[in-house]
Amino acid sequence: MGDIRIHDVLIVGAGPCGLAVAARLSERMPAANFSDDEHQRYHWIRRHKPSVKSYKTGFETRRKSSAAPSGNTGLDLLVLDATDNRWMARWDTLFKTFDISHLRSPMFFHVDPAERDGLLAYTYRNDRGNELTELRGCVGKELSKHQRKKRERSGRIPRTEPTVDERDRNDYFVPSTPLFASHCGCLMDRYDLRSNMVCHEKVEDIRFDYVEDVSEIDKIFTVQTDKGVHHAKIVVLAVGGNPPQIPEPDMPTEGTDAVTHAMHIKEIPTSRVRAKVNAKLQTNIVIVGGGLTSAQLADLAIRRGVSKVWLLMRGPLKIKPFDVGLEWVGKFRNFEQAAFWTSDSVEERWEKIKTARNGGSITPAYKKVLERHISTGRLSLLQNTTVREKHWDPVSKNWAVSLSDESHTLPKIDHIYFATGVKNDIECLPFLKSIRSGYPIESCGGLPCITENMAWRDDVPLFVAGRLAALQLGPGAPNLIGARIGAERIAWSIQDILGAKESGNDTESKKREFDYLTGRGSRYDALAEAS
């Protein structure tokens, strides 16, 4: 194949989804493949390296290590990220900018492929339980048979929301931002994912074809970036949706330095607004959005001295512990997932996704924060309200904003923020133009209709992770649970593709080791082989 390097796997995106895929490809004994008993046996064997006695000679010999060091998979991995040359750079930047102290996700939402409760175990192993915050209202709401009958006799509507058993209370805490970052760093070290694996390059084009003098027998990927060209057998797309943009009707032609999308914020408030705060002048900002980010920005602006914040929501305020309902969050959310996977069409799946996520929402904890700011008069929360018109005054450098609800009149506004999320539309991703042209697929709601194996097409080993894979993963695709499940399914497919090239003897040897470690099949056969 010439002197040009062809990577086994190239991952586009070094966020949680990309890290989840890289970690899973480096883990030889992933938690999803084994029961708890099997995992206990495997880890005991790996730690103690038990001896094996030959039934012929009676001599006892010490077994070699049952498993190669984690991360020693032999795969040639390359990761490209548009933000920086390290894992989780954009994630870390946004959390620091928004001053987010704790994640919204519960303890079993993480990207550790080795343990289903890896984050919880890491927390207590490192004595960091004090960094957890309980999600109140999720656990301990079960109704007894007597209570259910009493509700029925009184004519009250039976509760339909799911309940979480007391036994799972430990899972319904959220980790601090530093704790989650430390756990991700632990995974990077465990699987040796730090050393020059991530390159700071923006992907501009992806092609899949034969390459003259490089690969004329098998098609490979040619990935063009702003700094060069890379080749790979397999590509994993782990991007966080489309680039953030202010909605078209609201995008101004002037005063652009006084209007910002939340994902583009470098500092809050801006230097101009901060100068007015320091001069003890009146400052007013508008935040548009109904999700948790809008609430976080409002709280942060007020804490940093902004006089008044108007928070505009085009719909009603929705309060939920998570982005999706509890029925989609629990460890064993089999019913809803089964209903999703057995949907008759991708259109039905898309409707289930929209219903489950139901637009932006904020947590009960942030609802209390907003109520406290409202009580002081520094925050006005306007529901079912949108911006009707806005005009920029270049002299005073302020906005004149009128609202759809004419009963509210705003003073001059110093800055407008749009916390309106990001679109999910593959047709708006320029680096997919060549792939869509050469290997077209259907889409629904802007999401690609990928295969069950998470591939673009059966004949194109371009795998999709994260929010763009929602038609296969379900409503949790944009969240950490989607990152982990998606990584598991993608890893299966990649191992099938790359493993097909291994010799039969080597594959059979690995299968015997696999069976021995997990207690499957006949252990006598495994002992006989060892002797």
Side-chain angles (χ1 to χ4, degrees):
M1 287 190 176
D3 297 330
I4 296 178
R5 183 175 181 179
I6 301 177
H7 301 279
D8 290 324
V9 180
L10 187 152
I11 301 174
V12 181
C17 292
L19 178 60
V21 172
R24 173 58 184 84
L25 288 172
S26 303
E27 174 57 56
R28 297 186 63 194
M29 296 292 173
N33 289 353
F34 309 101
S35 69
D36 291 339
D37 288 341
E38 289 168 339
H39 254 282
Q40 274 188 338
R41 173 177 170 75
Y42 165 64
H43 288 295
W44 185 89
I45 289 174
R46 186 167 68 171
R47 184 181 300 112
H48 296 285
K49 301 178 185 177
S51 59
V52 176
K53 178 181 285 189
S54 170
Y55 71 94
K56 293 180 182 179
T57 65
F59 288 109
E60 192 169 297
T61 57
R62 194 78 170 173
R63 283 181 59 87
K64 295 181 180 179
S65 175
S66 316
S70 293
N72 185 20
T73 60
L75 281 181
D76 183 356
L77 286 173
L78 175 66
V79 183
L80 304 179
D81 189 77
T83 302
D84 207 340
N85 61 348
R86 61 183 178 87
W87 292 103
M88 304 289 285
R90 181 165 175 77
W91 172 285
D92 293 340
T93 299
L94 289 175
F95 269 65
K96 182 178 180 180
T97 301
F98 297 165
D99 194 24
I100 300 173
S101 63
H102 286 76
L103 274 66
R104 189 176 190 176
S105 302
M107 294 301 289
F108 50 90
F109 279 23
H110 58 79
V111 295
D112 186 347
E115 297 182 71
R116 285 181 298 179
D117 294 315
L119 179 55
L120 190 64
Y122 175 85
T123 300
Y124 289 114
R125 190 163 56 242
N126 291 277
D127 195 25
R128 297 180 68 172
N130 62 323
E131 296 184 47
L132 305 183
T133 297
E134 184 177 4
L135 290 165
R136 299 189 180 279
C138 293
V139 181
K141 293 269 187 171
E142 302 93 338
L143 292 177
S144 67
K145 184 186 296 184
H146 170 72
Q147 288 172 318
R148 287 196 298 270
K149 288 182 178 180
K150 186 176 180 180
R151 290 173 74 95
E152 291 170 3
R153 284 196 298 267
S154 64
R156 296 167 65 188
I157 300 174
R159 281 178 38 184
T160 57
E161 70 267 20
T163 58
V164 178
D165 194 277
E166 278 285 351
R167 290 171 296 182
D168 295 323
R169 179 176 289 276
N170 281 344
D171 295 316
Y172 288 87
F173 286 75
V174 291
S176 71
T177 299
L179 173 61
F180 182 77
S182 296
H183 181 240
C184 289
C186 175
L187 300 183
M188 298 171 205
D189 294 332
R190 181 196 305 168
Y191 300 115
D192 192 22
L193 300 178
R194 293 187 189 268
S195 55
N196 301 321
M197 182 177 291
V198 182
C199 295
H200 182 197
E201 300 184 34
K202 181 180 179 181
V203 174
E204 296 177 342
D205 188 43
I206 301 175
R207 297 177 182 270
F208 183 62
D209 209 338
Y210 303 106
V211 179
E212 187 177 357
D213 297 331
V214 177
S215 179
E216 299 179 352
I217 298 176
D218 298 318
K219 290 184 178 181
I220 62 172
F221 287 97
T222 301
V223 180
Q224 176 73 49
T225 75
D226 58 346
K227 296 181 180 178
V229 177
H230 304 278
H231 297 285
K233 300 172 187 176
I234 294 169
V235 169
V236 178
L237 196 61
V239 297
N242 298 77
Q245 290 183 326
I246 294 172
E248 283 293 337
D250 296 306
M251 186 61 198
T253 56
E254 55 183 354
T256 53
D257 60 339
V259 57
T260 310
H261 191 285
M263 297 296 105
H264 290 150
I265 293 175
K266 302 297 183 185
E267 58 178 352
I268 183 168
T270 61
S271 57
R272 185 172 60 85
V273 175
R274 191 169 62 250
K276 293 182 67 174
V277 170
N278 293 337
K280 301 190 182 306
L281 299 174
Q282 177 72 21
T283 49
N284 307 300
I285 69 171
V286 164
I287 299 175
V288 179
L292 183 58
T293 300
S294 65
Q296 291 167 335
L297 290 179
D299 173 50
L300 184 58
I302 292 171
R303 285 193 285 118
R304 291 185 176 175
V306 172
S307 306
K308 184 67 180 281
V309 175
W310 280 265
L311 180 53
L312 310 183
M313 299 182 176
R314 66 179 178 182
L317 174 65
K318 294 185 283 290
I319 311 297
K320 293 191 295 186
F322 313 107
D323 290 321
V324 294
L326 271 175
E327 66 274 15
W328 290 96
V329 173
K331 273 182 168 177
F332 309 104
R333 56 200 179 286
N334 297 338
F335 179 80
E336 292 295 340
Q337 285 293 131
F340 178 82
W341 285 325
T342 56
S343 299
D344 294 330
S345 64
V346 290
E347 289 78 15
E348 186 178 344
R349 287 190 177 190
W350 172 236
E351 290 301 321
K352 288 183 181 295
I353 291 170
K354 290 194 295 182
T355 301
R357 297 193 71 85
N358 193 28
S361 62
I362 70 171
T363 61
Y366 262 97
K367 177 176 180 288
K368 293 181 179 179
V369 171
L370 296 186
E371 288 174 342
R372 185 173 69 250
H373 292 316
I374 291 172
S375 67
T376 64
R378 298 184 65 185
L379 173 67
S380 287
L381 174 60
L382 306 181
Q383 303 177 53
N384 303 299
T385 304
T386 58
V387 174
R388 189 179 66 185
E389 289 182 336
K390 57 183 181 300
H391 299 286
W392 174 251
D393 184 343
V395 178
S396 64
K397 296 189 180 301
N398 284 320
W399 290 102
V401 178
S402 60
L403 306 177
S404 58
D405 184 350
E406 296 181 356
S407 64
H408 294 283
T409 303
L410 302 188
K412 295 295 183 180
I413 300 298
D414 294 294
H415 205 100
I416 303 175
Y417 293 97
F418 286 89
T420 49
V422 296
K423 289 177 61 177
N424 300 317
D425 190 350
I426 58 169
E427 294 185 4
C428 296
L429 290 172
F431 60 83
L432 288 180
K433 184 177 180 180
S434 297
I435 285 289
R436 290 193 296 108
S437 174
Y439 303 91
I441 62 173
E442 298 293 324
S443 64
C444 181
L447 299 172
C449 297
I450 58 178
T451 70
E452 290 186 358
N453 292 330
M454 308 294 290
W456 185 263
R457 283 182 8 180
D458 288 330
D459 59 339
V460 181
L462 169 64
F463 295 93
V464 183
R467 64 174 63 242
L468 293 179
L471 291 178
Q472 282 297 332
L473 298 177
N479 304 102
L480 289 171
I481 189 63
R484 187 176 178 209
I485 295 174
E488 189 66 42
R489 293 174 63 177
I490 289 171
W492 291 341
S493 301
I494 290 177
Q495 288 164 348
D496 283 344
I497 293 172
L498 299 179
K501 299 179 181 179
E502 294 179 353
S503 67
N505 290 337
D506 188 46
T507 302
E508 184 62 29
S509 174
K510 287 184 178 180
K511 181 179 183 302
R512 285 196 297 269
E513 179 189 22
F514 177 91
D515 289 342
Y516 177 83
L517 292 176
T518 59
R520 301 182 183 194
S522 172
R523 292 180 185 162
Y524 293 104
D525 290 342
L527 292 173
E529 289 290 337
S531 64

